[in-house]
Amino acid sequence: MNRNEWAGRSWTLRGARTEYTVAVPAHGRWLELVAWGPHGVSDGPSPVSYDGPTPFLTSGDSAPVEYGTDAARPFAGPDLVVETATGDRRVSWDYQEATGDEHRLAVTFADPVSGLRTVVHYEIPAGTDVVRRWVELTNTGDAVLRVVRAGSAGFCVPTPHGARLSYQWGQWAQEFQLDHVDLGHGNFTVGSSQGVPGHLYVPWLAIRDQAEPVGATWGVALAWTGSWEITAERDTGGLTRVRVGRHLPDGPLDLPAGASLSLPVAVGAYSPDGLDGLARVWHQYQRQLAGERLNPRPVLYNSWEATYFSVDAENQLALARIAAELGVETFVVDDGWFVGRPDDHGGLGDWTPDPAKFPAGFDAFIAEVRALGLNFGLWVEPECVSPRSTLYAEHPDWVYAIEGRPITPIRNQYLLDLGRPEVAEFVHSTVDGLLRQHDISYLKWDFNRPRTEPGRGTGSQVPVAGRVDLDGAHVANLHRIYENLRRDHPHVVIEACAGGGARTDLAMAARSDVFWPSDNTGPLDRLAIQYGFLHANAPHLLSSWVTDAPGLFDPRPRSLAFRFVLAMAGVLGIGADIRHWSPQDRAEAATWIARYKEIREIIVHGTVHLIGGPDQSRCAVQYTAPDAASVVVLAWHTGRLDGAGLLPSRPVRLPLHGLDPVATYRGGEHRYSGSHLQAVGLPVHWTATHDAELIVLHRI
């Protein structure tokens, strides 16, 4: 159908290079996608609409429905399932009204039987190519409604030859592993029931037609820091529909009479340039989320891998002195600084600096660090509590629990029920108090266990009767605390960590300044982690350390140069025990840090192209400055050598992108045309002692 065939009930939202058109059919029972892609894609027959016969199905099961209940899509998968007080489902609705402009749209539907009012929201932030979608549910009736499935959106993608899905799987220490699956028919599902996005999958998916190895690619992601689900299903008519939204591990959500529920924001993205181009769309959006906070993060040193829990003023200052000499800007004391924390069996919840570890006082210690020219940072894990802590002894009812059942410990700790107002106030006042009492400019907020108990014990200020949205309450208060901390302490850089990369989603990207993607700092393992991470996240969110740790999966040693160039792909940090580095290592490290400071503006603001991959002979990331006058290339050798420089071989060529083909670029003593760099590639010659390269090109 053409846009003018929708009886005036069609709307087009416009992004920088893309558009998204939806319409309400004449029957008024749902919204349909008309077209999603480059400007002008709506000016013609819809590539996804279908109004032919649907034997053994309903018309909604085959239509490109944007958001539908089980009445609209009873067989092919609804986005929303609502149950009435009598147990009836199949809630249906009719179109009421729409408001908006070319960047925003709100379409309202209502069900006179159940009293459910649903507003489907769209927004394309100016200057981006993403469409934000969310839904507001309101119970205008007299009885409780029960939300059984809480999807945020259904995205429809034309895949006439089959769908190629790209996703990221993992586990602790092996996050963000990029993989692909071909979906001829049926469905594919990823998600988490852990109360956090989790290590196992990333709330991100990319979709393209199997016949297009590089070309039009669509992506979806979810701005939700709790349990989630993404399902892609390809029908026999060549349409792949992606449902994205909350997963409800604790069962349905109650929606009392007069109450409203806002479901998480789902975000769709489009690029004509494959996965690599799609990554740039996500980067652009996340940079906009950062707003005024989008600036180069400081080069940091973190003491965890050097001292672990054996923290004291003497060993931390010894590390800080060396770090300052290297050019580090922020010194972060990790776990082990507070009372009752000689190991991971105690202390969490009692956030008081240990006087035995800091005999001159914690503030005196911080002042000594600051006197070295360093800013000071601190690790906290305020959502968790140790069974052997004063906090737990005083408030055993503050943790998630099921009455009469034992609590499941993970990493020798329990999880506080952040959804309770008194617990949220404690967590906020604790962290806020630390930032007010001490000269702290960097906060590493960790979270080392998922939620296991789907219950709330006695003693809460929130009534236990009825169903409690534990997941939603925890996430809402977590987001609120982050927002308050950023408002009240704008100078503090906040790093989001969850045993590595278990808490990376678009909601946290809007509230934190940097992510810790993995506890695995082994160089070759980390290369694969960062390669996947940069497909879904911008470089300013990527915290990466230079350490001496071997990989857990690929323990082959790499040079100090390799490790520094790898960590420069985002926010550079050091986590090695630099007390044991030789004078030569320290001198080399200082040189790399100085070079990073010269290029980090381009790393943060530049256009990113991902070249090759961690399992290929060529693996690199290209960053092009916003004015296109400079190009930074970080490259790593991961495979076999060709004769180690003793036998005939030719250099690896790295094809660059987005350059002016008639311009000349200078790199060291060499000059290249833009055409040569794009068509032939930038030459890199690997040897046994040369396994990484930082190359800066300047347009002449």
Side-chain angles (χ1 to χ4, degrees):
M1 277 187 186
N2 290 322
R3 187 169 43 187
N4 58 8
E5 297 179 49
W6 292 95
R9 296 194 298 193
S10 71
W11 305 270
T12 295
L13 291 88
R14 298 189 182 277
R17 293 167 294 274
T18 59
E19 64 185 33
Y20 195 98
T21 298
V22 295
V24 175
H27 56 66
R29 291 187 287 123
W30 57 67
L31 268 167
E32 286 191 14
L33 178 68
V34 177
W36 179 19
H39 286 161
V41 70
S42 304
D43 298 331
S46 169
V48 293
S49 69
Y50 177 74
D51 56 6
T54 55
F56 236 73
L57 297 171
T58 71
S59 59
D61 289 314
S62 297
V65 175
E66 285 283 277
Y67 194 73
T69 68
D70 52 351
R73 294 176 57 81
F75 307 117
D79 307 290
L80 180 71
V81 176
V82 175
E83 190 175 272
T84 67
T86 60
D88 295 331
R89 295 187 179 181
R90 295 291 193 268
V91 168
S92 186
W93 52 46
D94 295 303
Y95 168 73
Q96 301 295 299
E97 62 178 355
T99 60
D101 53 36
E102 67 175 10
H103 293 297
R104 294 175 182 83
L105 175 66
V107 184
T108 301
F109 295 86
D111 176 20
V113 176
S114 67
L116 181 66
R117 179 175 180 268
T118 303
V119 184
V120 183
H121 291 270
Y122 296 82
E123 179 185 27
I124 294 186
T128 74
D129 287 300
V130 303
V131 55
R132 292 163 41 91
R133 297 178 54 184
W134 70 100
V135 174
E136 289 180 325
L137 306 174
T138 301
N139 183 355
T140 67
D142 299 325
V144 173
L145 296 176
R146 182 160 290 172
V147 180
V148 178
R149 174 175 288 177
S152 292
F155 291 95
C156 299
V157 176
T159 53
H161 304 97
R164 189 85 194 279
L165 307 179
S166 298
Y167 66 103
Q168 296 183 39
W169 62 271
Q171 59 183 324
W172 176 82
Q174 196 185 19
E175 299 92 331
F176 301 102
Q177 303 299 300
L178 184 65
D179 209 342
H180 317 277
V181 63
D182 290 333
L183 188 66
H185 297 98
N187 61 55
F188 172 86
T189 299
V190 290
S192 167
S193 59
Q194 296 182 320
V196 288
H199 296 91
L200 300 180
Y201 300 102
V202 177
W204 172 96
L205 190 73
I207 314 99
R208 62 172 172 81
D209 188 75
Q210 287 182 19
E212 301 290 339
V214 177
T217 305
W218 292 262
V220 299
L222 186 65
W224 181 249
T225 316
S227 300
W228 60 277
E229 183 177 73
I230 296 177
T231 296
E233 184 163 9
R234 184 175 182 272
D235 66 20
T236 55
L239 181 73
T240 297
R241 192 170 186 276
V242 182
R243 302 194 307 271
V244 54
R246 289 185 59 178
H247 172 63
L248 305 177
D250 301 323
L253 308 177
D254 282 351
L255 188 62
S260 295
L261 173 66
S262 186
L263 297 175
V265 172
V267 186
Y270 168 81
S271 172
D273 301 317
L275 277 180
D276 186 48
L278 193 66
R280 290 188 289 278
V281 175
W282 292 122
H283 297 174
Q284 178 191 38
Y285 175 56
Q286 290 168 333
R287 287 166 175 164
Q288 187 188 78
L289 290 177
E292 295 179 355
R293 297 176 73 97
L294 182 63
N295 49 55
R297 280 58 170 130
V299 178
L300 67 82
Y301 179 85
N302 183 291
S303 65
W304 173 248
E305 292 194 21
T307 58
Y308 294 100
F309 295 103
S310 299
V311 171
D312 60 52
E314 182 180 354
N315 64 27
Q316 298 300 294
L317 287 171
L319 292 165
R321 294 186 189 101
I322 300 170
E325 293 172 358
L326 299 181
V328 166
E329 296 162 314
T330 295
F331 184 85
V332 181
V333 174
D334 210 281
D335 198 354
W337 57 270
F338 45 99
V339 295
R341 195 65 170 173
D343 52 36
D344 65 4
H345 284 74
L348 292 179
D350 301 338
W351 300 104
T352 301
D354 191 337
K357 296 184 175 185
F358 304 97
F362 197 52
D363 286 327
F365 161 71
I366 294 175
E368 288 196 63
V369 173
R370 298 277 292 143
L372 296 170
L374 297 166
N375 289 322
F376 181 74
L378 198 63
W379 175 96
V380 292
E381 192 177 2
E383 295 162 81
C384 291
V385 61
S386 301
R388 288 177 8 196
S389 67
T390 301
L391 178 67
Y392 185 68
E394 294 177 349
H395 298 286
D397 54 303
W398 279 12
V399 302
Y400 288 106
I402 301 174
E403 220 42 56
R405 304 286 186 184
I407 304 172
T408 306
I410 295 180
R411 199 179 181 248
N412 304 303
Q413 61 198 53
Y414 298 151
L415 182 60
L416 293 175
D417 182 352
L418 195 64
R420 298 185 179 197
E422 65 272 30
V423 176
E425 172 55 29
F426 167 80
V427 170
H428 174 260
S429 62
T430 296
V431 180
D432 180 69
L434 288 170
L435 297 179
R436 292 182 187 278
Q437 295 165 24
H438 308 294
D439 193 357
I440 297 170
S441 61
Y442 193 100
L443 183 73
K444 181 171 183 176
W445 183 309
D446 209 343
F447 181 88
N448 278 302
R449 60 151 298 163
R451 179 167 63 89
T452 49
E453 273 61 51
R456 172 166 285 171
T458 59
S460 171
Q461 295 177 16
V462 177
V464 179
R467 292 179 180 268
V468 178
D469 183 7
L470 299 175
D471 203 39
H474 195 118
V475 172
N477 281 340
L478 175 73
H479 288 172
R480 190 175 300 114
I481 292 169
Y482 264 74
E483 291 160 6
N484 290 340
L485 293 176
R486 288 183 62 156
R487 179 198 64 206
D488 298 335
H489 307 279
H491 68 288
V492 176
V493 176
I494 302 179
E495 176 183 331
C497 174
R503 197 180 248 174
T504 58
D505 66 276
L506 290 176
M508 291 305 289
R511 293 168 174 83
S512 58
D513 298 298
V514 65
F515 289 151
W516 179 238
S518 180
D519 288 342
N520 186 345
T521 60
L524 288 171
D525 289 354
R526 189 65 173 226
L527 184 63
I529 291 166
Q530 294 185 182
Y531 178 74
F533 182 93
L534 287 173
H535 277 81
N537 298 282
H540 74 271
L541 292 167
L542 171 60
S543 178
S544 189
W545 298 351
V546 177
T547 74
D548 295 323
L552 298 178
F553 304 94
D554 191 339
R556 289 178 294 164
R558 297 283 99 176
S559 70
L560 190 62
F562 186 105
R563 287 174 275 153
F564 263 100
V565 174
L566 177 63
M568 289 182 185
V571 179
L572 175 61
I574 300 176
D577 190 345
I578 49 181
R579 295 172 297 183
H580 300 304
W581 279 8
S582 69
Q584 293 78 14
D585 288 340
R586 295 182 189 179
E588 182 181 350
T591 299
W592 284 117
I593 291 173
R595 295 187 69 185
Y596 175 73
K597 292 176 180 178
E598 294 173 354
I599 65 170
R600 61 181 168 183
E601 284 281 355
I602 300 176
I603 300 294
V604 169
H605 297 285
T607 301
V608 177
H609 292 270
L610 301 166
I611 302 170
D615 56 349
Q616 301 176 18
S617 60
R618 63 185 188 191
C619 182
V621 184
Q622 172 193 337
Y623 307 79
T624 303
D627 62 1
S630 299
V631 178
V632 172
V633 179
L634 308 179
W636 304 273
H637 172 62
T638 63
R640 62 186 294 273
L641 295 172
D642 293 322
L646 300 176
L647 297 173
S649 63
R650 291 179 174 83
V652 170
R653 292 279 181 168
L654 304 174
L656 304 188
H657 305 273
L659 305 183
D660 182 349
V662 300
T664 299
Y665 294 84
R666 184 184 71 249
E669 300 177 354
H670 302 283
R671 295 190 178 197
Y672 313 88
S673 71
S675 178
H676 178 93
L677 291 170
Q678 294 185 124
V680 180
L682 178 69
V684 179
H685 199 94
W686 303 123
T687 69
T689 58
H690 186 80
D691 58 1
E693 186 75 87
L694 162 60
I695 302 168
V696 181
L697 303 171
H698 298 287
R699 187 177 61 196
I700 300 174

